[in-house]
Structures are given as structure tokens and as C-alpha cells.
Amino acid sequence: DTSVSNDMAVVGDVGVTSGLRTAKPQTYTPPAFQDPNLASQIQTGVLQPFFKAWAASDTNGIALVTAADAKPDARNGLGKELTDPQIENVIVYTDYDTSSGVNPTYVSGDTVTAVVRVNFTLPSSESTQTVGYRVLLRNSDRKWQVVDIGPGAVTDRAADANQTSA
């Protein structure tokens, strides 16, 4: 009875078929340099507020940390399907050479890709789900803003500001 429950049951044997063949996904090769200093700055100042608002589909909260031209995936959110985001790890990839230990000086228009591991609570099962994302951020007048988000292990769409959303 759908008025009481939305649980599904499989009746009979599960069949497995070959998947549809599609084009091979593009290989993501991150820039050679990482910026751990920027990673710690944006983790608390940008990414934590973003994921909190994004999980709740809080449009006002999302608007505070996203660029005006942010892609739909960054603006829509998760509709409270996942809650209580806790960032486990952030790696920021940059085109600036950080090998000498000198922090880069970012200018307006610069972009970086943050690879983020987030632990969410699943309210329906009271369990924890760890998820990986690639978040494209752009510097706008010394303020980092989210431009796009994509799954961490599946697509490089969020790693390239010149690609468009599907």
C-alpha cells in the first residue's frame, strides 16, 4: 500500500544484462600542484556553508557562496535527502606552482578544483554516507565562489570551467 510505505520488494530472480555502450568518459588529469593552505581556508569559509545549504536545498544559503553564473547542479541542492554534511578531506588543485612552498597570489577570475570528501547522514536509515565531489571555485575580488559541482570519481565536468552542463 503506497499510502503506508514506499518500500520496494523484488519478486523473483534479478536479471543482469550488459549495459548500454556509451562513449568513453574523458580522463581527468588534475593540475600538478596542490594548495593545502587554500584548502583549509575554503573548507570552513566556503565549502562547509555550501554543503550545509546544498544538502538542505536552502536557496538563500546556496546563493551566499555560489557565483552568479553557477551551474544548475550547484544551485539545486539535495532536497534534504542527505543531511548534516561533515567535510572529511579537501584537496585543492591549482595551476600555480606551489612546489617552492610559497603561497600563490590568486587574482580575480582564477579557478581551482577542490576534491572534497563529505560524510552525510541519511535520515531515512540513520546511517552515514561518504561521498566525493569535484567542486569548481572561482576567485571573484578575493572571494572564492562555487561555480559547479560534480561527482568526484565519475566526471571531470566540474573540473573545467569551459565545459557545459549536460
Side-chain angles (χ1 to χ4, degrees):
D1 180 2
T2 57
S3 66
V4 177
S5 173
N6 65 355
D7 292 341
M8 294 176 41
V10 176
V11 179
D13 296 329
V14 175
V16 178
T17 62
S18 60
L20 239 14
R21 186 171 273 306
T22 60
K24 182 178 177 183
Q26 297 174 350
T27 303
Y28 174 63
T29 305
F33 304 107
Q34 295 180 19
D35 188 343
N37 184 49
L38 181 59
S40 68
Q41 289 175 21
I42 65 170
Q43 178 173 341
T44 55
V46 179
L47 295 172
Q48 188 63 47
F50 170 73
F51 279 106
K52 183 178 179 184
W54 195 64
S57 291
D58 172 6
T59 55
N60 291 330
I62 291 171
L64 291 174
V65 290
T66 55
D69 63 341
K71 305 288 185 196
D73 286 345
R75 292 191 173 281
N76 291 337
L78 299 175
K80 299 181 184 175
E81 293 296 321
L82 301 173
T83 61
D84 191 29
Q86 301 297 317
I87 296 178
E88 183 179 306
N89 187 37
V90 177
I91 300 171
V92 170
Y93 291 100
T94 179
D95 290 325
Y96 286 100
D97 186 348
T98 57
S99 62
S100 65
V102 176
N103 291 329
T105 302
Y106 294 98
V107 297
S108 194
D110 282 347
T111 61
V112 296
T113 298
V115 176
V116 186
R117 282 179 57 114
V118 184
N119 295 314
F120 286 102
T121 299
L122 278 75
S124 59
S125 65
E126 298 178 5
S127 62
T128 301
Q129 175 68 50
T130 301
V131 187
Y133 295 100
R134 290 199 185 128
V135 181
L136 177 68
L137 297 111
R138 182 174 50 233
N139 186 308
S140 179
D141 297 323
R142 296 187 306 255
K143 179 181 175 185
W144 289 99
Q145 298 177 316
V146 174
V147 175
D148 199 7
I149 186 169
V154 178
T155 181
D156 64 349
R157 178 179 53 79
D160 184 349
N162 297 315
Q163 291 185 4
T164 58
S165 294

